Amino acid sequence: MSVFDSSQPEQHRRDDVPERTMAEVLALPHEARTIVTWLVRQREAGLSEVAALLEQDEATAQTLLTDLVAQGFVQEVLNEGEGQPRYRVRLAARRGRQVPLDL
Amino acid sequence: MPTIISIHSYRGGTGKSNLTANLANSLVQQGKRVAVVDTDIQAPGLHVLFGMDTQQMGLTLNDYLYGRCSIEQATYDVTDKLGPQVAAMGTLYLLPSSIKAVEITRVLREGYEVNLLIDGFRKLIKTFHLDYLLIDTHPGLNEETLLSILISDILLLILRPDQQDFQGIAVTVEVARKLKVKRLLLVVNKVLPKLDKVSLRQQVQTAYDTPVASILPVSEELIELGSAGIFSITSPDHPYSQGVRELAAQVVNSA
């Protein structure tokens, strides 16, 4: 979804948890990293799709996703007309650096 | 299925932008719809190879990232830069980065929304019905290059036969594997004629457990051209151009 798209889904932001960087994604354990890297490529996915990716049951996938949401790597997204939340990676904006203003 | 290819190197000066432009030319010659994106926002240069000067350059990737235009508005059809013969075969788009000091320092100072970049790439692929999106990255490992690596279907890692490059590529290959890149290919560039290419290929493949897609020779003629054009157009029979065509064929076959 870009700034030029008119409809924005409701995103459940965790403002108390900082957004995560790619470097932090690298440090995740294998299974969690599998979910996050796959979600970046997919843009977003539902619980059943994540469970299929992991070849695990939905309860196991839900536990992993809940943990990733709590850590700030993933956010729940509620699309209009869909009862179940979908999941999207929550990446931090690229941070700026100290650069002289008169450059 | 559209294919995203990141062209990356651990160190600068490996010939990344030249390879990106020449690979794009080879893919267009195969009838493909291709876009090249200069994500080396800190040191852009890809536009030079396509003969785009500062006066011609209007909207850029920077404008898109700061919400001043859509990504389509910052993308230029540069097919005619490949010459009339190639232009009849496929289509080439270029999304340049700004070369204005104020824009470069703004990126350094303020950063930008990473998700916007990913969304923009998706939109480009859809709007222009692309077969290939080539991303020319900033050398080394940082947040942007990690992201480019992650969203790629194919990661082309360029190295020279140089001990510093060898060490750097080892790190990059390890990171690419952690990010579960679908297809990883190495390109050894600027190889001296006296080196045994078969032996070099075997050594590099074994060292990184990764296929070497092409070994490209160091070329005085390419240096002489000095980014004033696309070498495989001006010198199509040169071994460098042949190597790039072989690489393009592998990319097409592995996509």
Side-chain angles (χ1 to χ4, degrees):
Chain A
M1 186 88 31
S2 84
V3 288
F4 300 97
D5 289 325
S6 55
S7 62
Q8 296 277 351
E10 184 187 344
Q11 298 183 9
H12 288 202
R13 288 196 176 276
R14 294 287 307 266
D15 292 332
D16 52 330
V17 182
E19 290 173 320
R20 295 298 185 165
T21 64
M22 285 299 303
E24 289 169 321
V25 171
L26 276 177
L28 282 170
H30 174 76
E31 229 166 14
R33 191 161 20 95
T34 300
I35 296 173
V36 173
T37 53
W38 183 78
L39 273 179
V40 171
R41 294 184 183 115
Q42 297 296 313
R43 178 136 179 71
E44 65 176 45
L47 175 62
S48 60
E49 294 160 274
V50 175
L53 166 78
L54 299 173
E55 296 178 337
Q56 304 268 8
D57 57 48
E58 288 194 7
T60 307
Q62 183 66 75
T63 304
L64 285 161
L65 281 167
T66 303
D67 194 32
L68 284 169
V69 170
Q71 290 179 64
F73 284 99
V74 169
Q75 64 188 346
E76 288 184 352
V77 179
L78 277 175
N79 292 318
E80 208 173 314
E82 288 181 14
Q84 297 297 314
R86 293 177 68 77
Y87 296 89
R88 188 179 292 180
V89 170
R90 192 168 170 258
L91 287 177
R94 183 192 180 281
R95 295 178 189 121
R97 297 179 211 157
Q98 292 287 327
V99 178
L101 284 167
D102 56 352
L103 258 183
Chain B
M1 278 288 285
T3 303
I4 300 177
I5 304 172
S6 280
I7 297 100
H8 184 62
S9 63
Y10 183 77
R11 296 174 67 220
T14 54
K16 198 161 41 65
S17 295
N18 259 304
L19 183 65
T20 304
N22 282 284
L23 178 60
N25 175 50
S26 288
L27 291 169
V28 172
Q29 284 190 19
Q30 296 192 35
K32 307 297 182 189
R33 297 178 65 82
V34 181
V36 289
V37 185
D38 193 350
T39 63
D40 193 352
I41 301 174
Q42 297 163 45
L46 191 60
H47 61 278
V48 178
L49 288 147
F50 294 101
M52 187 182 274
D53 63 29
T54 51
Q55 304 301 320
Q56 283 177 297
M57 202 187 286
L59 296 167
T60 62
L61 179 60
N62 305 59
D63 293 296
Y64 165 69
L65 290 173
Y66 290 117
R68 297 190 290 249
C69 70
S70 69
I71 199 154
E72 293 94 334
Q73 287 173 308
T75 304
Y76 301 83
D77 187 333
V78 291
T79 316
D80 63 328
K81 306 286 184 190
L82 306 178
Q85 275 188 318
V86 181
M89 299 172 182
T91 310
L92 180 62
Y93 299 96
L94 169 66
L95 174 52
S97 275
S98 175
I99 48 164
K100 290 178 186 163
V102 66
E103 293 291 346
I104 296 171
T105 51
R106 182 177 178 186
V107 168
L108 293 175
R109 193 163 42 233
E110 297 178 21
Y112 59 84
E113 185 60 55
V114 171
N115 283 317
L116 208 53
L117 196 61
I118 309 176
D119 290 341
F121 291 160
R122 288 198 176 99
K123 208 161 185 188
L124 265 189
I125 288 170
K126 197 174 168 187
T127 304
F128 295 111
H129 309 287
L130 298 178
D131 297 307
Y132 293 94
L133 178 72
L134 307 189
I135 305 173
D136 186 16
T137 64
H138 185 65
L141 291 173
N142 58 30
E143 282 292 301
E144 296 98 323
T145 55
L146 290 176
L147 186 73
S148 290
I149 289 171
L150 174 54
I151 62 169
S152 300
D153 300 296
I154 300 175
L155 174 63
L156 290 182
L157 286 179
I158 310 176
L159 66 153
R160 292 159 297 194
D162 175 288
Q163 291 304 318
Q164 290 187 58
D165 281 23
F166 288 155
Q167 283 194 6
I169 285 295
V171 176
T172 315
V173 167
E174 187 186 337
V175 166
R177 295 227 163 94
K178 276 195 157 190
L179 292 176
K180 302 174 191 303
V181 168
K182 293 178 196 166
R183 185 106 170 91
L184 179 57
L185 296 171
L186 299 178
V187 175
V188 190
N189 196 14
K190 302 189 178 181
V191 174
L192 288 170
K194 68 179 180 186
L195 281 179
D196 178 352
K197 290 188 184 62
V198 175
S199 166
L200 178 64
R201 183 184 291 268
Q202 278 177 347
Q203 281 176 39
V204 174
Q205 284 187 165
T206 306
Y208 305 108
D209 192 22
T210 303
V212 172
S214 191
I215 293 188
L216 301 171
V218 67
S219 162
E220 270 187 36
E221 298 93 325
L222 181 57
I223 296 165
E224 269 177 32
L225 185 63
S227 301
I230 297 165
F231 187 68
S232 54
I233 297 173
T234 56
S235 305
D237 299 324
H238 191 281
Y240 178 91
S241 306
Q242 290 170 12
V244 173
R245 279 198 294 276
E246 286 165 20
L247 174 62
Q250 287 196 49
V251 162
V252 169
N253 290 333
S254 66

